[in-house]
Amino acid sequence: MVRKREFTNWIFGRELRDSRILEERPEEDRAKPYVITPLGTRVRRVLFCGVVTQKNSEENMTKVTVSDGTGNFYLSAFNNDFGIRAKEMMDSLEINEQVMVMGRVSTYKNDDKIYFTVNPEIASRIDRTEMEYWRARTQHLARRKIYAIKAAAARQDATPDTLISSGYTASEAEDAFRSLKSYPDYDLQDFEAAILAQMQPAEKESQESAKEFVLNYIKSNDTDGRGCRYEDLLTAAQNASISQNELDVLLNTLGSQGEIFEVSLKRYKVI
Amino acid sequence: MSETVQRVKISDLHAGMQNVDIVGSVVSLQKKELKNDRGESVYYYGILGDETGTISFTAWMFPSTVRSGDTIEIKRASVKEYKGVNRLYVDSNSEVIMRPGETVQVKRSYSQIKIKDISMTQPYVTLEGRISNVKQKELERDGKKTQMYYADLDDDTGRIRVSSFDRPLKEDGFVRIEGAKVSEYNGRFRITIGSRTSVAEIKPSFKVGERVYDIREISSPIGGITVSGFVVSMGEKSGLVIRCSACNQRLDDIHCPDHPEAPISYDIFAYFNIDDGTGNIQCTGGKNVFLKELGFTDEQFTPANKAITRRSVFSGLQEKILGKAIVANGDVSRNQAGLSLRLSSFSHVDEEFVKKLMTHMEADFQ
């Protein structure tokens, strides 16, 4: 019998980060549960691209954080029979490298909050064009889903068939109704703005100046000696047209590069 | 209790009919082997025609002597709707009887479609496209010499192979082919221009260019398409292939059992999966596709070059394509595992392709 390969979802970190629901399944089913994302996507295997912002390599486990500009993916690979190749791939990655990762999403719950890690099956260094390619396709897939959700919400008599007849695929139609059921109040506009506001290659220079801005602000706003407050930094960054996601990525990057450190929760100092 | 048998013509068939008795000509016949949890089984499918039209059928048992063109009578068949189209079902309760000596004139009904929409549910079609790669061959048919012409037909959605008996095909000509017969061979569709097919030159209303598909759009064999995606897995048996230079057989050893004295030659075979976020498809490719990528010329890629080993070719392929975003051009065929893209060329995703893709995708939101 030919086994169908599990579908791979190309999604942004933000979509996974905002997910709050795991699909219910029979108790005897020992497979990892599907995550239901705010766009209604059923996710178990993901493919994403981003920049390595953190890495912690130990003998038994390697942890890597990859940021795609909208959110972070937390990867972990173990030194066991199933994970040794993945661990080797992760060990070979360096901070600030651009990577493509395909892997399975693991979930755990703590205080009713769901946390996600990705167990990589493949991780590969990529170049800027490949990153742009992934971003363009993933944006396109996400936007089609957003439009399908909006179309489903706009008409009371909308059904999956009416969406399909408007040009959406069967799975987009299914996802749209799943999204409306599972995340009726999700802010789609904010999500769309976040994925469209990502850095384009031509804007690389502005990233450098944003980095400078953040460093200077932290340096000159450590007013009480306990470190610059994240809230203050965020307000200033947003005034300088740096989004919260971009700021989070910059803070991660600067931390990994040893330029700043987090003195206490959400307080930063320049080294 | 005896059940009423309905002798009907194809044009009168409708979904839900039971105990149908029908006489028709077998327009096409295929056999499919199924393997699933419950074991192996075989079923037959094809097209039956009479003077009122054609209908697809599925049969769980069928006489092995029946061939395309034979006239048969099917008793106690049923009609159900499948994918929005009526289909005739022949089950263990049905009977198929050969009617040798009888002929049924099949009414051909065909609509104009694009190459991407070709399927075996429409046995005759009308297509418009550009003819290229014309080749000619002499055949003997019923003791008579016949000229056979083979070519590719391209439209804006794909490419298909065309065969024409005795009617020359003009290189680079745009044509309208009415009533071409569709068949499936080696997992690929092709059309045949027969005596009842008309071919006319036309001024095209479409452009033949690059045909970029999302993987989820590919649902049947189609030629001459482009897909892109990340290579997410590569088959472990990909790599160097050793062949006998006399018979071109693939060898496990370095000696051909049939031509032990013949020198060996080197070839490449790679199979891998690419994923574009809408789905994935298996791709295969050979030396013509990967040699340059591995940094060799034909002259260098020979057994005399000691730097070439199975391991070095496999690692080279892995390094160059696994985890990379590629643009793949080729023909899709159907095999036991599903659809597979045989590469004619590939390249790495570049800025120009990304720009083109973005323009193409942005059209969705206009």
Side-chain angles (χ1 to χ4, degrees):
Chain A
M1 188 174 64
V2 179
R3 281 190 62 179
K4 210 172 167 214
R5 193 183 163 86
E6 168 126 24
F7 190 83
T8 307
N9 293 281
W10 291 27
I11 66 167
F12 287 109
R14 167 83 182 262
E15 188 177 343
L16 191 60
R17 189 192 72 187
D18 289 353
S19 301
R20 301 279 174 268
I21 295 169
L22 299 182
E23 189 174 74
E24 284 179 18
R25 63 202 165 114
E27 261 182 33
E28 63 273 16
D29 186 354
R30 294 176 63 193
K32 289 179 178 176
Y34 282 98
V35 177
I36 307 297
T37 75
L39 301 191
T41 320
R42 285 173 82 233
V43 171
R44 192 143 73 180
R45 180 189 256 161
V46 290
L47 186 150
F48 54 88
C49 293
V51 177
V52 177
T53 56
Q54 278 182 5
K55 181 179 155 187
N56 181 8
S57 189
E58 289 170 11
E59 195 184 330
N60 291 326
M61 181 168 71
T62 299
K63 286 184 169 183
V64 167
T65 305
V66 174
S67 170
D68 68 0
T70 72
N72 292 337
F73 291 94
Y74 302 99
L75 318 182
S76 46
F78 301 90
N79 195 7
N80 57 25
D81 289 350
F82 305 107
I84 192 152
R85 271 189 64 191
K87 188 177 182 307
E88 281 168 8
M89 284 188 278
M90 299 239 298
D91 284 339
S92 72
L93 300 176
E94 301 290 342
I95 302 278
N96 282 332
E97 272 183 338
Q98 292 182 320
V99 290
M100 182 283 288
V101 179
M102 184 182 79
R104 286 173 177 269
V105 178
S106 287
T107 58
Y108 65 96
K109 270 188 169 181
N110 193 4
D111 293 338
D112 280 341
K113 200 169 182 290
I114 304 172
Y115 296 89
F116 305 100
T117 55
V118 177
N119 305 125
E121 296 165 297
I122 172 172
S124 160
R125 275 179 206 85
I126 54 166
D127 61 25
R128 201 188 69 187
T129 313
E130 289 174 307
M131 181 92 150
E132 272 310 299
Y133 167 74
W134 171 80
R135 188 173 285 148
R137 281 205 73 89
T138 310
Q139 264 181 8
H140 179 248
L141 294 169
R143 284 180 76 197
R144 279 186 61 97
K145 285 185 180 184
I146 292 168
Y147 281 53
I149 297 165
K150 286 179 178 171
R155 276 178 53 181
Q156 264 200 333
D157 61 345
T159 63
D161 284 341
T162 57
L163 289 191
I164 292 167
S165 62
S166 320
Y168 294 101
T169 65
S171 77
E172 284 169 340
E174 244 177 68
D175 289 354
F177 283 94
R178 197 182 289 120
S179 163
L180 288 175
K181 190 179 159 209
S182 309
Y183 297 87
D185 302 320
Y186 188 70
D187 190 344
L188 290 169
Q189 216 156 343
D190 185 55
F191 178 82
E192 192 178 6
I195 63 169
L196 292 177
Q198 286 177 84
M199 186 188 64
Q200 301 297 312
E203 291 170 304
K204 201 149 190 176
E205 271 182 32
S206 75
Q207 193 204 24
E208 284 305 312
S209 64
K211 217 158 132 181
E212 281 302 305
F213 172 85
V214 172
L215 270 177
N216 288 334
Y217 189 87
I218 294 175
K219 231 185 260 176
S220 50
N221 285 279
D222 182 8
T223 46
D224 58 6
R226 287 162 55 201
C228 171
R229 282 159 32 108
Y230 176 80
E231 292 86 333
D232 300 340
L233 185 53
L234 178 60
T235 311
Q238 284 173 337
N239 288 338
S241 304
I242 299 167
S243 70
Q244 183 170 9
N245 286 323
E246 286 166 4
L247 176 64
D248 291 343
V249 173
L250 283 169
L251 289 173
N252 270 334
T253 311
L254 289 167
S256 314
Q257 290 170 344
E259 303 228 35
I260 59 168
F261 69 105
E262 199 171 359
V263 197
S264 58
L265 192 66
K266 302 279 180 190
R267 291 261 190 170
Y268 299 91
K269 267 182 183 288
V270 172
I271 296 172
Chain B
M1 194 178 76
S2 68
E3 294 176 69
T4 318
V5 172
Q6 311 173 60
R7 168 69 70 86
V8 282
K9 294 290 178 195
I10 287 174
S11 61
D12 295 328
L13 293 175
H14 55 83
M17 287 174 91
Q18 301 276 342
N19 284 316
V20 170
D21 189 347
I22 193 163
V23 175
S25 171
V26 178
V27 177
S28 70
L29 180 63
Q30 312 264 344
K31 180 176 155 185
K32 185 149 183 154
E33 286 170 20
L34 277 182
K35 283 181 191 168
N36 57 28
D37 298 340
R38 287 173 291 175
E40 293 179 18
S41 57
V42 173
Y43 74 91
Y44 300 83
Y45 62 98
I47 290 159
L48 191 72
D50 68 10
E51 57 276 17
T52 68
T54 56
I55 188 167
S56 298
F57 68 86
T58 300
W60 291 101
M61 43 207 304
F62 212 71
S64 57
T65 45
V66 175
R67 298 280 178 270
S68 287
D70 287 348
T71 300
I72 57 167
E73 179 176 1
I74 302 176
K75 289 183 168 178
R76 294 182 299 281
S78 56
V79 183
K80 289 179 203 163
E81 197 181 291
Y82 177 69
K83 291 187 178 173
V85 181
N86 286 341
R87 199 173 181 90
L88 192 70
Y89 286 88
V90 180
D91 58 24
S92 56
N93 186 39
S94 314
E95 195 180 347
V96 180
I97 304 161
M98 297 275 284
R99 304 278 289 257
E102 282 187 39
T103 51
V104 173
Q105 279 296 322
V106 177
K107 183 189 172 193
R108 294 187 182 183
S109 49
Y110 32 80
S111 47
Q112 185 176 337
I113 57 170
K114 291 287 184 187
I115 289 173
K116 76 172 169 61
D117 297 320
I118 287 177
S119 76
M120 290 305 295
T121 57
Q122 283 180 287
Y124 297 98
V125 291
T126 294
L127 296 167
E128 288 185 352
R130 187 188 67 197
I131 295 284
S132 63
N133 296 322
V134 180
K135 288 183 180 70
Q136 188 180 352
K137 202 174 167 185
E138 194 175 80
L139 292 179
E140 212 170 280
R141 217 181 170 197
D142 302 330
K144 230 176 99 184
K145 282 190 175 159
T146 311
Q147 293 301 316
M148 183 80 171
Y149 298 87
Y150 302 95
D152 289 331
L153 182 78
D154 282 79
D155 70 8
D156 49 339
T157 67
R159 177 180 301 146
I160 192 167
R161 202 88 181 116
V162 189
S163 315
S164 171
F165 289 98
D166 270 338
R167 294 162 74 180
L169 297 166
K170 190 174 144 197
E171 186 75 33
D172 273 338
F174 279 88
V175 290
R176 176 183 170 86
I177 304 173
E178 273 189 41
K181 187 175 180 215
V182 178
S183 54
E184 193 175 337
Y185 179 69
N186 274 348
R188 291 177 63 183
F189 289 137
R190 62 180 180 183
I191 55 166
T192 307
I193 296 172
S195 56
R196 290 163 71 186
T197 315
S198 73
V199 182
E201 284 193 33
I202 54 159
K203 275 191 176 168
S205 54
F206 55 87
K207 274 185 183 168
V208 175
E210 195 175 34
R211 294 157 292 224
V212 181
Y213 276 78
D214 280 350
I215 291 172
R216 69 179 164 203
E217 294 175 304
I218 304 167
S219 56
S220 63
I222 181 168
I225 63 159
T226 301
V227 294
S228 64
F230 278 101
V231 177
V232 292
S233 68
M234 197 174 98
E236 289 188 357
K237 289 183 179 166
S238 298
L240 182 67
V241 172
I242 298 172
R243 292 192 188 278
C244 166
S245 62
C247 63
N248 208 32
Q249 280 286 326
R250 189 178 177 149
L251 307 174
D252 292 328
D253 195 0
I254 53 165
H255 296 291
C256 174
D258 300 328
H259 309 93
E261 302 303 321
I264 55 165
S265 64
Y266 278 176
D267 196 357
I268 296 171
F269 177 70
Y271 60 106
F272 52 86
N273 263 288
I274 62 172
D275 193 300
D276 70 353
T278 70
N280 68 78
I281 190 164
Q282 192 186 61
C283 301
T284 59
K287 192 167 95 169
N288 58 327
V289 178
F290 297 111
L291 194 62
K292 201 173 154 201
E293 185 68 17
L294 291 173
F296 292 108
T297 60
D298 267 318
E299 293 70 38
Q300 292 165 336
F301 199 71
T302 66
N305 188 341
K306 297 300 172 207
I308 298 168
T309 61
R310 286 185 195 272
R311 181 178 284 270
S312 70
V313 175
F314 180 78
S315 312
L317 284 169
Q318 222 176 17
E319 188 193 326
K320 298 284 183 184
I321 62 171
L322 186 60
K324 306 294 178 201
I326 67 162
V327 182
N329 305 298
D331 301 324
V332 177
S333 63
R334 199 195 318 263
N335 58 33
Q336 288 238 320
L339 295 171
S340 163
L341 180 72
R342 177 74 189 175
L343 266 58
S344 54
S345 67
F346 98 102
S347 58
H348 290 273
V349 161
D350 59 16
E351 275 182 35
E352 198 189 327
F353 181 80
V354 176
K355 264 187 208 159
K356 216 162 45 181
L357 192 70
M358 284 167 89
T359 312
H360 178 69
M361 293 189 304
E362 200 53 40
D364 272 5
F365 306 111
Q366 301 302 317

